Amino acid sequence: MATKIDDDMIEYVSILAKLELEGEARAQARSDMEKMIEFADMLNEIDTEDTDPAVQVIDMENVFRDDTVTNGDNREDMLANAPAKKNGQYMVPRTF
Amino acid sequence: MKNYETVIGLEVHVELATKTKIFCGCSTSFGGDPNTHTCPVCTGMPGSLPVLNKKVVDHAIAVGLAANCEINRSCRFDRKNYFYPDNPQDYQISQLYEPICQNGHVDIDVDGKRKSIRIHEIHMEEDAGKLIHDEAENMSLVDYNRAGVPLIEIVSEPDMRSAEEVIAYLQKLRTIIRYLGASDCKLQEGSMRADVNLSVREAGTEKLGTRTEMKNLNSFKAIARAISNERQRQIDIIEAGGRVIQETRRWDDTKEESFSMRSKEDAQDYRYFPDPDLPGIFISREWIDEIKASEPEFKDEKKRRYVSQYGIPEEDADIITDSKHMADIFEETARLCGQPKKAANWLMVDTIRILKELSKEPEDITFAPENLAKLIKLTEAGTINSSVAKEVFEKVFADNIDPEKYVKENGLAQENDESALREAVQKVIDDNPKSVADYRGGKEKAIGFLVGQTMKAMQGKANPGIVTGLLKELL
Ligand SMILES: [Zn+2]
């Protein structure tokens, strides 16, 4: 069954994702979201009545590191990915 | 006006004293230039994989045991999703569904009464980065050095009823955690942070009122002020016929008021789900036993022992054992000089006074017990008098000097030789006929002045007992 994304939901998701969706972009987002949910809805076709929830597909536990510093100063490499930077810091839209 | 009861629960974040971050090998040390302690893991680069620091689990288990919690034999991490630039992964790795510790309690003493504060749970999580505002650019700048630093969050039940109880609870947690060496728990520096959940209800009623969560509390005093202010704010709303709104508020300690942090932009829906990158944790009985076996002697036990073993007053023992560091200094000093009461006195009086003057904590003491022990021995042997001892102690405290060497090098040894002192005393008697006449005329107090004059003549190094004896003899 196709899921409808109503205006309230679009508004709510855009607040959470800090996106401003207007006009064409809003219509596009609505259609994309509906398609995504429809895709995920396929899972509902499977009977999981007797299946335990799986948190992970890898069968491991207790994978630890020792508390030893292994990383040096990688600042230049790290900041190479930043669209904007200043004084060794990432520059982002004003938050407060 | 009706009688209201304040109901308080606390969420306490504690930064763990590990060398590296929770999921990567980046250093947690303070003071590095921005972003010099970062890597693809703690900045949330695609494809990077977190690997848990075992020490974090050790600390969490130790704190849980000390707070009488059940340790969950199996636990795991969950992702708490939110978008904010201090959080580079767009989710914080935390624990919601299976926290490491649950159902504990710590006991607090307020007004001579013991009360148990229940702990709902303790979970492990990672800290966020730091944002600063750049006026020139009208942008925000982000430093991820703190992102991924390990935290535990200790969530209490709403069992506290006053600011005094809240502070006693925080002090208790702080003492336990410092004794364990799991964190330095400094409120001012943010290595211990307390969020206060507070509601009020009519005294005698059971149903909890609507609560608010108060953030940005950086000292015990700020916590006390915020509690009294928020209690009154909620009572005023209710008395005016209004309803308290459940929200997060930010305390401004200089303005002494709080502000709502609610806004459209703060809408939250964390959509927690188990983190598929991190395998589950199984905590064996052996692991728990091993941590239990390495537990230190905690404050309450140590305090009782000091009173019985060293015969020092309970109040002194209480203050000394507030800090494990100070307690260690006390015991080592007492062992070295064999004078526990003297050792306690130097810590209780002079050390605490100097710490207060410098706005420091007992954890900041840097002098060696050997040097305090030597100072006590020098005083007991009569090598230096008490005023010189105080002067030397200032040096011990500040520079950890060796008192024996210092006294020798600076010629501070007390003059105990009667014949040498006799000369000085005679001179003072000759120079001060009026005081001598006063004393002989029955003014006993005049001898104090003469002792003082002799001490002065001897640059403070005379043995005051011998001087007094000589004066009485010669007069
Ligand atoms: Zn890192």
Side-chain angles (χ1 to χ4, degrees):
Chain A
M1 208 189 83
T3 310
K4 286 280 162 231
I5 300 281
D6 61 18
D7 274 341
D8 286 350
M9 183 56 80
I10 289 269
E11 180 67 17
Y12 180 60
V13 172
S14 53
I15 289 170
L16 289 176
K18 301 193 166 32
L19 293 172
E20 283 173 31
L21 295 170
E22 302 300 340
E24 188 57 33
R26 195 177 172 98
Q28 185 65 49
R30 184 197 305 269
S31 143
D32 286 350
M33 279 193 249
E34 284 175 352
K35 277 184 201 148
M36 283 183 252
I37 291 184
E38 210 175 299
F39 179 73
D41 271 348
M42 273 200 295
L43 290 170
N44 290 335
E45 292 165 18
I46 304 159
D47 179 8
T48 54
E49 193 62 39
D50 299 316
T51 313
D52 285 334
V55 167
Q56 269 167 333
V57 289
I58 37 167
D59 187 21
M60 282 199 280
E61 60 184 19
N62 290 5
V63 178
F64 298 124
R65 322 179 344 258
D66 286 335
D67 187 24
T68 313
V69 178
T70 51
N71 298 342
D73 173 7
N74 274 325
R75 178 159 80 173
E76 291 319 309
D77 288 346
M78 299 308 304
L79 280 162
N81 294 304
K85 54 197 155 186
K86 186 178 178 182
N87 301 337
Q89 291 161 94
Y90 300 79
M91 192 153 65
V92 298
R94 183 180 179 151
T95 53
F96 47 87
Chain B
M1 201 184 78
K2 294 175 198 131
N3 197 9
Y4 288 93
E5 180 180 47
T6 321
V7 178
I8 306 167
L10 251 57
E11 290 167 23
V12 179
H13 286 91
V14 172
E15 215 171 75
L16 297 176
T18 54
K19 293 190 194 74
T20 62
K21 294 187 178 182
I22 182 167
F23 298 121
C24 62
C26 289
S27 167
T28 55
S29 65
F30 266 102
D33 283 340
N35 295 303
T36 51
H37 302 159
T38 63
C39 73
V41 173
C42 56
T43 54
M45 293 295 167
S48 62
L49 270 181
V51 184
L52 179 59
N53 181 345
K54 182 166 179 286
K55 194 78 194 160
V56 173
V57 187
D58 288 338
H59 281 319
I61 295 173
V63 174
L65 289 173
N68 306 295
C69 290
E70 295 159 12
I71 309 300
N72 285 328
R73 304 292 295 279
S74 83
C75 72
R76 62 170 58 254
F77 285 98
D78 302 297
R79 291 183 179 180
K80 178 183 181 177
N81 299 278
Y82 70 92
F83 298 99
Y84 204 67
D86 67 357
N87 165 27
Q89 299 157 140
D90 288 343
Y91 55 82
Q92 178 195 29
I93 305 177
S94 181
Q95 296 191 294
L96 177 75
Y97 299 110
E98 296 176 33
I100 187 163
C101 315
Q102 279 173 304
N103 303 329
H105 67 90
V106 294
D107 295 333
I108 57 166
D109 296 294
V110 174
D111 296 332
K113 265 183 267 166
R114 179 150 281 213
K115 180 173 176 178
S116 191
I117 308 297
R118 290 169 303 154
I119 288 169
H120 179 75
E121 67 167 65
I122 301 176
H123 60 254
M124 303 178 280
E125 60 185 30
E126 56 179 343
D127 207 348
K130 203 176 78 189
L131 286 161
I132 57 160
H133 182 59
D134 186 287
E135 285 298 339
E137 309 277 352
N138 197 29
M139 298 278 270
S140 291
L141 303 178
V142 203
D143 171 9
Y144 290 122
N145 280 355
R146 304 317 291 163
V149 166
L151 304 174
I152 49 171
E153 179 174 345
I154 305 165
V155 183
S156 85
E157 297 289 352
D159 286 350
M160 287 156 273
R161 298 290 175 266
S162 67
E164 290 71 36
E165 290 185 5
V166 167
I167 289 166
Y169 169 73
L170 286 170
Q171 283 172 333
K172 185 79 180 205
L173 286 183
R174 188 173 70 172
T175 308
I176 290 172
I177 294 168
R178 282 181 172 173
Y179 263 73
L180 289 167
S183 172
D184 60 8
C185 292
K186 291 188 172 173
L187 280 162
Q188 272 81 354
E189 291 173 17
S191 58
M192 184 183 210
R193 309 192 275 263
D195 298 338
V196 172
N197 289 301
L198 185 150
S199 63
V200 296
R201 66 181 171 198
E202 226 178 292
T205 58
E206 277 296 308
K207 195 171 169 292
L208 290 170
T210 305
R211 67 166 197 269
T212 59
E213 181 180 354
M214 190 69 71
K215 288 186 181 287
N216 195 37
L217 302 163
N218 302 325
S219 68
F220 288 136
K221 280 182 186 141
I223 289 169
R225 282 192 282 266
I227 287 173
S228 114
N229 180 285
E230 180 59 12
R231 170 189 151 86
Q232 199 53 49
R233 194 189 67 87
Q234 293 188 11
I235 291 172
D236 290 347
I237 291 172
I238 295 165
E239 288 285 312
R243 275 177 44 221
V244 174
I245 304 163
Q246 182 166 351
E247 62 181 351
T248 304
R249 301 181 66 86
R250 182 182 169 84
W251 178 249
D252 184 328
D253 202 46
T254 41
K255 293 197 175 105
E256 294 205 23
E257 57 182 319
S258 65
F259 300 91
S260 175
M261 290 171 74
R262 233 163 42 106
S263 74
K264 199 179 83 165
E265 284 68 38
D266 286 325
Q268 276 161 353
D269 184 345
Y270 294 131
R271 296 158 292 133
Y272 278 97
F273 65 89
D275 191 314
D277 283 347
L278 286 155
I281 304 158
F282 173 75
I283 300 168
S284 67
R285 192 69 248 170
E286 291 72 41
W287 191 354
I288 296 173
D289 289 346
E290 200 182 300
I291 289 175
K292 185 85 195 158
S294 64
E295 253 182 13
E297 176 188 39
F298 285 111
K299 179 185 160 99
D300 290 354
E301 210 180 327
K302 206 184 269 294
K303 190 170 101 180
R304 279 194 294 275
R305 182 167 63 81
Y306 282 9
V307 173
S308 64
Q309 183 179 341
Y310 297 114
I312 61 172
E314 195 180 325
E315 289 154 55
D316 292 12
D318 189 54
I319 292 172
I320 290 169
T321 55
D322 249 345
S323 145
K324 182 172 181 293
H325 183 52
M326 192 186 261
D328 289 346
I329 291 174
F330 165 72
E331 276 200 87
E332 185 60 8
T333 307
R335 190 184 68 79
L336 290 168
C337 71
Q339 306 257 14
K341 285 182 187 169
K342 290 276 186 302
N345 207 46
W346 279 109
L347 293 171
M348 288 294 302
V349 182
D350 300 85
T351 307
I352 301 254
R353 174 184 53 79
I354 301 173
L355 287 172
K356 273 205 181 120
E357 282 167 11
L358 301 173
S359 303
K360 287 192 170 183
E361 297 194 61
E363 259 57 35
D364 302 320
I365 298 174
T366 51
F367 64 79
E370 289 75 18
N371 289 334
L372 178 54
K374 279 184 184 175
L375 179 64
I376 293 169
K377 281 184 174 166
L378 287 171
T379 318
E380 289 312 295
T383 311
I384 53 173
N385 63 36
S386 60
S387 61
V388 170
K390 284 200 183 281
E391 187 189 321
V392 175
F393 181 73
E394 298 276 340
K395 286 277 169 195
V396 169
F397 185 96
D399 304 320
N400 191 28
I401 52 114
D402 176 343
E404 284 172 4
K405 258 175 80 183
Y406 186 81
V407 164
K408 207 172 279 168
E409 283 170 5
N410 293 278
L412 295 173
Q414 172 170 257
E415 187 51 83
N416 291 323
D417 179 20
E418 238 194 79
S419 55
L421 287 172
R422 188 176 289 271
E423 205 175 304
V425 168
Q426 190 57 57
K427 186 159 188 322
V428 167
I429 290 174
D430 296 343
D431 291 350
N432 295 280
K434 187 171 177 308
S435 296
V436 170
D438 284 350
Y439 179 76
R440 289 194 174 128
K443 271 198 190 166
E444 294 268 342
K445 273 196 216 153
I447 200 163
F449 174 78
L450 295 168
V451 172
Q453 288 303 109
T454 316
M455 294 300 287
K456 203 173 150 191
M458 296 294 296
Q459 284 112 44
K461 290 180 290 186
N463 180 325
I466 299 178
V467 170
T468 310
L470 282 168
L471 276 166
K472 285 188 174 156
E473 181 199 317
L474 294 171
L475 290 172

